[in-house]
Amino acid sequence: MPDEKYMRAALELAAEAMRAGEVPVGCVVVGPDGEIIGRGRNRREESRSALAHAELEAIHMACESLSDWRLSSCRLYVTLEPCPMCAGAIINARIAELCYGAKDPVTGSAGSVINLFMENYGHSPRIYGAVLESECSALLREFFAGLREKGADSAIHSRAGMEPGGEKG
C-alpha cells in the first residue's frame, strides 16, 4: 500500500524542479528497508536531454545504491503518471510497486492513454494511482499558469504538450 510520506518526498523534488524552471515532476525509489535509495526530478531543460525525466534519474540512483539493476524489492513514487519511456524503465528495473499522483491524459502509460504494465513484458508492478493527486495536480497547474502569465510556449516545457488533468497548456 502507498505511504504518503514518500509521495511528499517526491513532491519536494517536484517543487525543486519547478523552482529551476522545469515541469514539476519528482520521484523517489524506496528500498526494501523503507529508506529512500533514489531521488530524481525533471531536468530536461537544464540538461537539454529528452531522457532527463525524474523516474530515470531516481531509478539510476537506486541501481547504484543497491549495486544491481534489479529493483524487484523496491517501490517507486512519482508525482505524474509515467510516460512510455519511464514505464519501460520501471518494467526493465523490475520495480515491484508504482505509486503515482496526477494522471497524464496525453502520455500516461499506467492507464490514462495505455497501460503498458498490462502488456506481456514478463514483469508488471502493482500500481496505485491518485496518491496525493490533488497536491500533485495543483503543483502542475501552478507551473503552467505561471508559464501562461509569462506568455511562454508551454508546449516546449510540457512533458506531454498539455497540462495533466486534460487542460490544454
Side-chain angles (χ1 to χ4, degrees):
M1 287 298 292
D3 187 329
E4 289 183 358
K5 75 178 179 183
Y6 298 120
M7 186 61 81
R8 292 196 188 288
L11 275 164
E12 289 174 19
L13 290 162
E16 182 181 311
M18 186 165 82
R19 288 189 297 274
E22 301 280 351
V23 175
V25 178
C27 180
V28 298
V29 176
V30 180
D33 61 357
E35 294 295 316
I36 294 175
I37 59 170
R39 296 174 190 274
R41 67 168 180 85
N42 269 4
R43 296 179 193 271
R44 289 189 321 164
E45 300 300 326
E46 177 183 323
S47 68
R48 296 190 165 126
S49 172
L51 303 176
H53 284 209
E55 297 95 323
L56 298 184
E57 186 172 277
I59 289 169
H60 180 77
M61 183 183 287
C63 289
E64 286 184 338
S65 175
L66 294 180
S67 298
D68 197 349
W69 63 268
R70 293 173 198 86
L71 302 176
S72 57
S73 58
C74 297
R75 292 174 284 155
L76 185 141
Y77 287 78
V78 63
T79 57
L80 181 62
E81 181 181 2
C83 71
M85 175 177 66
C86 294
I90 292 164
I91 291 167
N92 280 300
R94 312 275 198 286
I95 290 174
E97 192 171 287
L98 162 65
C99 305
Y100 69 88
K103 292 183 183 223
D104 185 340
V106 175
T107 66
S109 296
S112 290
V113 174
I114 188 170
N115 189 342
L116 289 177
F117 302 106
M118 297 302 292
E119 299 299 322
N120 190 23
Y121 290 119
H123 175 72
S124 183
R126 287 180 304 280
I127 300 171
Y128 300 94
V131 180
L132 297 181
E133 181 178 23
S134 61
E135 291 93 328
C136 295
S137 295
L139 196 59
L140 288 156
R141 278 193 305 275
E142 179 184 342
F143 175 77
F144 287 106
L147 285 183
R148 282 192 296 275
E149 283 178 15
K150 294 176 187 173
D153 179 2
S154 63
I156 65 168
H157 295 284
S158 172
R159 182 159 111 173
M162 80 189 287
E163 293 181 50
E167 298 177 32
K168 289 283 185 186

